[in-house]
Amino acid sequence: MKAAALLLAGSMALAACASDEPTGTGSGGGGGGAATEDLRIGLAYDEGGRGDQSFNDSAYAGASAAADALGAELQELSPNEDASNRAELLTQLAEQGFNPVIAVGFAYDDVIAEVAPQFPETTFAQVDGSNADGAKGENVTGLVFAEEEGSFLAGVAAALKSESAHIGFVGGVESPLIEKFEAGYVAGAQAVNPQIRIDRQYISPAGDFSGFSDPARGQIVAQGMYDAGADIIFHAAGGSGLGVFQAASASGNRAIGVDSDQYLTVGPELQPVVMTSMLKRVDNAVEQFINDYAEGNVQGAEDVLSDLSTEGIGLATSGGFIDDIQDDIQQYSQQITDGTITVPTTVE
C-alpha cells in the first residue's frame, strides 16, 4: 500500500477568487477522443463557487491542470445567490459547445438528468452524482468517492488526539452524501474509543444548500460544541468550514478540514488549529476524467470510484500534528483496503 503517498496527497495550490471567464486557450496537439486544440471544457460550480477553499476549488484545480496540459479552453460558471439556475448553467455550457461539461456537486442530480438527454452529443460528468444505472442519460459519468473511508481515518485521528474524549462533527447540509462523512467519522472514533462522546449537527436541513456557504453559521454551530466540551471538530461543510476553524481558534481547540488540504488554504492565523484534513481528491478525479475524454476513453452511464485503494481518499499531514499517530492511521487504512473493516455509509 502506498500509505505515505496517500497521506501526502493533498499538497496542491488552489486559486482563491471566483471567475466566469475562460482560463485557457486551445493550442495543444491531438488527443485520442478529440483534437485537443478544439477541446473546450465547461465547469459548473456548486453553491459558493470558486474560492471556497474546499470542494469547488479542488474541482477547479483538476480542471485547470488538465486544461493547461492539453492546451484546452476552460470556462467556469457559478450559480446565482440561491443556486436556482443550475440547469441554466449546464444548458449554457452545452449550447456554447463546451464538451465535456462537468457539474460539481450532488445538488445537480435532478438538473443534469433533465439537461444531459437534451444534448446527446455532449459528454457530461457529475462530481458526487452516481449514474451507474444510466438514469441520468447515456452521456453522463458519475465521479464518486468513498468519503466514509477517509472520514473513518479522521475519526481515528480525532479520538487518538482528543484530550477530553469529546469530539464533534459539523455537516453543511443534511443529506445522504454528508451522512457518509458523519457515519465514517463516528465509526472511526468509536473504533479507537467506544465510549467517546461525539456531538453532531447540520448547518441547514435537507434541500437548503446554504449550509455549504455560510461561515457565520458554521462558527456558531462549532462554538456551541466547543463550549460544551468538545476539543476537536470535523467539518464536512464546504465554505462554511471557515467558521469552524474560526471557532476553534477563538476557543483554543482544533478542527479537521475536508476535501482539500485546508492547512494550505487558510491564513497563517488559522493554520495552528487545522489538525489534518480528510482529502477527497476531486482534483485528481476531474483531471483524470478530462484526460480520459481527450483520449476517447469515456464510456458514459457509469461511475468512477475514488477510494483509499486508488489513493483518491486520505488524510493530510501538513503541519505535522498527526505525525505521532501515523502507524495507527496506516494500520486502520490497511484494514479498510483489505476488507477487514467495512466502513458504514449511514448513521444508525
Side-chain angles (χ1 to χ4, degrees):
M1 174 182 177
K2 304 175 183 176
L6 172 69
L7 295 169
L8 293 172
S11 297
M12 60 181 179
L14 297 177
C17 58
S19 170
D20 290 339
E21 296 301 319
T23 57
T25 56
S27 59
T36 56
E37 66 267 18
D38 298 325
L39 187 60
R40 304 175 70 222
I41 304 161
L43 186 63
Y45 290 121
D46 202 356
E47 185 96 16
R50 180 146 67 97
D52 66 349
Q53 299 182 354
S54 184
F55 189 70
N56 288 311
D57 281 359
S58 189
Y60 169 77
S64 178
D68 288 346
L70 295 169
E73 178 183 350
L74 172 60
Q75 174 70 58
E76 311 162 57
L77 295 179
S78 294
N80 55 15
E81 186 173 350
D82 64 0
S84 61
N85 66 334
R86 289 188 176 92
E88 288 85 347
L89 299 184
L90 299 184
T91 299
Q92 178 181 335
L93 290 169
E95 287 182 341
Q96 292 180 354
F98 289 93
N99 195 9
V101 172
I102 302 163
V104 183
F106 70 89
Y108 280 93
D109 276 341
D110 293 337
V111 297
I112 201 168
E114 170 192 336
V115 173
Q118 300 177 34
F119 299 93
E121 300 304 314
T122 301
T123 297
F124 292 83
Q126 184 189 0
V127 177
D128 283 343
S130 174
N131 192 37
D133 60 2
K136 294 174 181 175
E138 295 299 315
N139 54 335
V140 179
T141 297
L143 305 180
V144 296
F145 301 81
E147 294 93 352
E148 71 280 2
E149 294 182 355
S151 298
F152 184 101
L153 298 184
V156 167
L160 289 172
K161 301 295 284 189
S162 176
E163 297 178 359
S164 64
H166 184 177
I167 60 177
F169 171 81
V170 174
V173 178
E174 193 169 1
S175 61
L177 174 65
I178 305 304
E179 188 178 1
K180 290 172 67 180
F181 291 86
E182 179 188 358
Y185 182 64
V186 169
Q190 291 179 339
V192 172
N193 178 5
Q195 305 305 316
I196 195 167
R197 177 176 170 181
I198 309 171
D199 296 335
R200 292 170 269 172
Q201 186 172 340
Y202 287 84
I203 297 173
S204 64
D208 178 2
F209 298 104
S210 66
F212 288 134
S213 57
D214 195 337
R217 288 166 65 193
Q219 183 171 6
I220 292 170
V221 172
Q223 191 62 58
M225 292 183 184
Y226 288 128
D227 289 346
D231 59 355
I232 299 171
I233 294 175
F234 172 41
H235 89 82
S240 299
L242 176 62
V244 177
F245 298 143
Q246 291 168 336
S249 179
S251 59
N253 288 296
R254 291 177 290 181
I256 297 174
V258 74
D259 295 337
S260 60
D261 186 348
Q262 296 199 286
Y263 179 91
L264 302 177
T265 61
V266 299
E269 72 282 359
L270 292 179
Q271 285 183 328
V273 309
V274 184
M275 189 180 83
T276 182
S277 297
M278 196 287 280
L279 299 175
K280 177 177 173 178
R281 298 306 304 271
V282 174
D283 58 328
N284 285 356
V286 168
E287 182 176 7
Q288 186 60 54
F289 170 78
I290 294 170
N291 288 334
D292 287 343
Y293 172 83
E295 295 169 2
N297 294 329
V298 171
Q299 302 301 315
E302 65 174 359
D303 285 349
V304 178
L305 175 66
S306 297
D307 59 11
L308 281 177
S309 70
T310 66
E311 301 183 5
I313 293 288
L315 287 186
T317 58
S318 297
F321 303 120
I322 60 170
D323 286 353
D324 58 329
I325 59 171
Q326 283 306 300
D327 287 345
D328 297 281
I329 291 171
Q330 291 178 21
Q331 287 173 16
Y332 279 107
S333 181
Q334 183 60 50
Q335 290 179 69
I336 293 170
T337 57
D338 67 20
T340 303
I341 292 176
T342 300
V343 183
T345 58
T346 58
V347 179
E348 295 182 359

